[in-house]
Amino acid sequence: MRQASFFRFWFVGGLLSAVGLFIFFWMIRINLSPQAEVFRKIGSTYETYRKTIYPERGNIYDRWGHLLAGNVETYEIGVDLRFVSDPQTIAATLAQVVGLDYNTVYDSVSEPWDSDLPRYVKLADFIDPEKIDQLDSIEKQLNRQREEASSRRRNTVMPNLDGLIWTPMLKRSYPEHTLGSNVIGFYAYRERETARGYFGVEEKYNQLLAGTPVEVEVALDPYKMNEIPSVPPGASLMLTLDRDIQAMSERILDKHIESSGAKSGVVVVMDPETGEILAMAVTPRLDPNEYWKYSEVFPGITAYNRAIGTTYEPGSVFKVLTMAAALDAGVVQPSTPFLDTGVIMVGGVPIRNWDRGAWGPQDMIGCMQHSLNVCLAWVATQLGPSKFYNYLNNFGIGHLTGVDLGGEASQPFLVPGDNGWYEVNLGTNSFGQGIAATPIQMITAISAVANHGKMMAPHVLKAVIENGEQYSNPPQIIGKPISAETAETLTNMLATSLEEESSAALVDGYRVAGKTGTAEIPGPGGYLDSATNASFVGWGPVDDPRFIVYVWLEQPQTSPWGSVVAAPLFKEIVENLVILMDLPPDSVRQGMAGQ
């Protein structure tokens, strides 16, 4: 029994050893045989290479979750030259369905396959799924015809699309088209490997939206492209914008630009308590779905978003800051008397009122109500250059606000000791001439008056959504240029001045504070004779400000005055804004609070 087991053990062992030796010598024979090179070439078709996979770009939403920027599936079309047998049909089909040039496609797909050349040739990218469905239907029809004819026509090449490949890819999509496009910016997706965001949120938060690329092993065989591993998408952003308020602001701005003949316009709506930008309507606007038309929409224009990228002399809206500084420094009170003679000498240069007239006895409310340049220049001299420019610095004039949008600009102002500063600058700067700011700087500075002296950081990012978690962007105080008492006093002064002049900015049922602005436009040889910038800034309700609105119309033609063209624009914006924000009239709201 033991002897039989011993022989079986040696038999099995010997048999396995023989098989192993056979396999070993056969592998050597294969590697040394003339066919070895053929096998190696076949194996090379299934090699892999390292490729960087870019995540799906994060979405952008408004504050209520409405999609403003996302991604849609499109396709890349190419051919694997190893399998192409009918280049004519491929070229004709792509010319008919996709619109590609027949000769170009034919030349690309009719090349014989050479192992030393790329096997995959890209023909087109970002093709809509509808066209892919047409190609798929044609391919299936040709395959059916080939199968039906195979039994009758042997060794005959039937029309086919063999070798034609389409693989999915993403492109950036903006479902609201031009809505908020100056804030959103655009993603230049056609550049593929070097694609990035330009302007607005797409530029400012490009890295967050793009996510983290991953390097992976990918098969050379294009038919295995669906085996590429997925990577986590980039972060999504929730903005402070309200889609409905944005759409309303753009619609009303466009209407008033047309009716006034203005060259361009800006409307910014902000919550003064948080610095959240609810709307930023700007012209011109680009449809980011067609971002390559940028030069057509912005011919010779350097700023994609004029609300943050264009400085201008704001004119009399600047008087809000001058009066705020004077009240806060204690050099004037609302009842401080002033005799307006129609002219004041500052640095030996006469400064006159906008109408060249003299308004006689006034107090500070009257000075703001009638927008008297002479009075505000006098107020600035009472402050003196040191205090005046210190306050402007504290208000952020001449500095970037840090708004989270790509392309913000700023223009520093001159102070005593600078080359080009003269004493008269103190007088002209007091009413917004000879000094430049962007609309975002102006609304940020003046929002301190609407927010009890606290200046909030303007921002459009409300929250980041990443890995299933939401991270909120909290409001930030960036300065307290004036006291709460000064802010309340000036707010009531400006509300009273609007009411006493029966301003076109008044809104039925809601008490608002505000100031008009009309500024001459500097040119190469001095100020232009027949062109102005018309502005208005206002906020409300006065007892509990929930919004501040800044309006700028560039070079209106029907009237040069902010009180005529900018104030009615503010009024119409606010009339719609209180509805969209669900703000009851003052009497209703105060009655409810008193219960």
Side-chain angles (χ1 to χ4, degrees):
M1 192 71 178
R2 291 179 182 175
Q3 188 175 8
S5 298
F6 177 77
F7 282 115
R8 282 197 298 269
F9 172 78
W10 278 103
F11 176 77
V12 172
L15 180 63
L16 292 176
S17 297
V19 171
L21 288 172
F22 176 78
I23 294 174
F24 175 75
F25 285 113
W26 189 256
M27 290 174 61
I28 293 176
R29 181 174 182 275
I30 289 175
N31 279 279
L32 296 177
S33 69
Q35 291 78 21
E37 185 62 27
V38 175
F39 287 125
R40 276 192 285 271
K41 285 185 177 181
I42 294 174
S44 69
T45 63
Y46 300 103
E47 289 176 354
T48 62
Y49 67 99
R50 298 196 68 81
K51 178 176 180 176
T52 301
I53 304 300
Y54 295 91
E56 178 179 350
R57 193 169 179 84
N59 295 333
I60 301 174
Y61 304 93
D62 85 333
R63 67 187 301 115
W64 306 116
H66 298 118
L67 183 66
L68 301 177
N71 307 290
V72 295
E73 186 174 75
T74 58
Y75 288 82
E76 176 180 290
I77 295 178
V79 291
D80 187 334
L81 296 177
R82 294 174 298 171
F83 306 116
V84 174
S85 61
D86 187 1
Q88 295 91 342
T89 299
I90 292 176
T93 302
L94 293 181
Q96 175 188 354
V97 176
V98 184
L100 300 182
D101 179 70
Y102 175 91
N103 292 327
T104 302
V105 174
Y106 181 82
D107 290 343
S108 298
V109 304
S110 60
E111 290 285 340
W113 176 65
D114 187 318
S115 61
D116 295 328
L117 297 175
R119 293 174 294 281
Y120 178 74
V121 177
K122 186 182 78 170
L123 301 175
D125 53 13
F126 302 109
I127 303 302
D128 292 337
E130 294 78 13
K131 296 188 182 299
I132 298 301
D133 290 341
Q134 294 180 47
L135 291 176
D136 184 61
S137 177
I138 292 172
E139 183 181 47
K140 290 178 179 177
Q141 181 181 359
L142 292 176
N143 288 340
R144 283 196 300 268
Q145 292 174 356
R146 182 166 55 180
E147 291 174 3
E148 293 171 358
S150 61
S151 59
R152 303 189 303 271
R153 301 180 182 178
R154 296 185 180 277
N155 301 322
T156 301
V157 177
M158 294 291 293
N160 66 80
L161 297 180
D162 291 352
L164 186 64
I165 301 164
W166 46 82
T167 52
M169 61 188 304
L170 296 176
K171 77 172 182 179
R172 199 64 163 163
S173 172
Y174 302 88
E176 300 284 358
H177 298 279
T178 61
L179 181 72
S181 62
N182 304 85
V183 176
I184 298 169
F186 59 79
Y187 178 65
Y189 62 85
R190 287 182 177 270
E191 278 70 15
R192 301 292 292 274
E193 299 296 329
T194 60
R196 68 178 181 89
Y198 290 86
F199 306 110
V201 173
E202 291 276 29
E203 178 179 321
K204 185 69 176 182
Y205 295 106
N206 182 68
Q207 190 169 353
L208 266 177
L209 290 163
T212 304
V214 176
E215 196 174 66
V216 298
E217 292 282 345
V218 180
L220 283 171
D221 189 339
Y223 284 102
K224 294 187 176 183
M225 291 295 287
N226 59 351
E227 296 179 10
I228 296 176
S230 61
V231 297
S236 292
L237 308 181
M238 179 180 291
L239 305 186
T240 61
L241 292 186
D242 183 306
R243 183 187 64 174
D244 295 335
I245 296 177
Q246 179 72 29
M248 175 271 294
S249 299
E250 291 183 2
R251 173 177 54 82
I252 295 176
L253 174 62
D254 291 348
K255 184 180 80 171
H256 281 262
I257 287 177
E258 183 178 0
S259 64
S260 68
K263 182 179 178 181
S264 67
V266 169
V267 170
V268 182
V269 182
M270 178 191 286
D271 182 342
E273 292 186 357
T274 63
E276 292 185 352
I277 296 172
L278 305 178
M280 185 176 280
V282 184
T283 61
R285 289 188 289 276
L286 169 73
D287 184 346
N289 292 299
E290 299 177 323
Y291 67 85
W292 48 89
K293 295 182 178 180
Y294 172 84
S295 59
E296 298 177 25
V297 179
F298 296 89
I301 301 175
T302 57
Y304 184 78
N305 183 344
R306 296 173 68 77
I308 68 167
T310 301
T311 60
Y312 80 112
E313 296 191 9
S316 293
V317 289
F318 207 84
K319 293 173 180 174
V320 176
L321 302 181
T322 301
M323 186 58 69
L327 290 170
D328 196 68
V331 300
V332 298
Q333 301 294 327
S335 58
T336 297
F338 177 75
L339 179 62
D340 180 35
T341 62
V343 63
I344 185 173
M345 302 296 291
V346 180
V349 180
I351 291 177
R352 304 181 187 278
N353 289 320
W354 56 273
D355 64 348
R356 303 288 177 173
W359 289 73
Q362 300 288 330
D363 59 13
M364 293 300 103
I365 297 176
C367 286
M368 297 298 285
Q369 177 184 335
H370 305 304
S371 198
L372 303 181
N373 297 343
V374 171
C375 179
L376 270 294
W378 173 80
V379 169
T381 62
Q382 302 307 296
L383 271 169
S386 179
K387 286 185 178 179
F388 176 74
Y389 291 113
N390 280 340
Y391 270 102
L392 294 191
N393 188 64
N394 292 338
F395 275 118
I397 302 301
H399 304 283
L400 297 175
T401 66
V403 65
D404 49 347
L405 293 171
E408 185 182 10
S410 184
Q411 182 173 326
F413 54 79
L414 299 176
V415 297
D418 289 342
N419 185 29
W421 187 90
Y422 303 96
E423 188 177 347
V424 68
N425 288 47
L426 177 63
T428 57
N429 291 170
S430 71
F431 51 87
Q433 294 276 194
I435 193 167
T438 59
I440 193 66
Q441 288 173 331
M442 291 299 298
I443 194 173
T444 300
I446 297 174
S447 69
V449 183
N451 189 38
H452 314 292
K454 293 179 291 186
M455 193 165 63
M456 309 302 293
H459 61 283
V460 298
L461 179 64
K462 189 171 182 65
V464 176
I465 304 168
E466 188 172 21
N467 298 323
E469 300 288 338
Q470 179 171 315
Y471 306 92
S472 298
N473 183 27
Q476 296 181 15
I477 299 174
I478 57 175
K480 296 181 180 179
I482 57 176
S483 68
E485 293 76 16
T486 297
E488 182 178 353
T489 297
L490 183 52
T491 294
N492 283 306
M493 287 174 61
L494 293 173
T496 300
S497 70
L498 290 181
E499 292 160 353
E500 291 186 353
E501 67 172 313
S502 300
S503 170
L506 294 175
V507 180
D508 290 341
Y510 300 85
R511 192 167 191 240
V512 295
K515 182 73 186 73
T516 58
T518 303
E520 295 177 299
I521 298 176
Y527 286 99
L528 304 179
D529 293 332
S530 58
T532 64
N533 281 312
S535 303
F536 189 92
V537 62
W539 58 95
V542 163
D543 61 328
D544 182 22
R546 297 285 304 281
F547 59 81
I548 180 169
V549 178
Y550 194 89
V551 171
W552 169 30
L553 291 176
E554 182 184 11
Q555 299 186 34
Q557 301 300 306
T558 57
S559 172
W561 307 112
S563 59
V564 177
V565 292
L569 172 52
F570 167 83
K571 175 181 181 176
E572 190 169 353
I573 292 285
V574 173
E575 285 176 336
N576 287 269
L577 184 61
V578 293
I579 295 173
L580 294 174
M581 294 183 69
D582 197 22
L583 295 178
D586 291 351
S587 58
V588 175
R589 182 171 45 81
Q590 292 165 0
M592 294 173 61
Q595 292 179 353

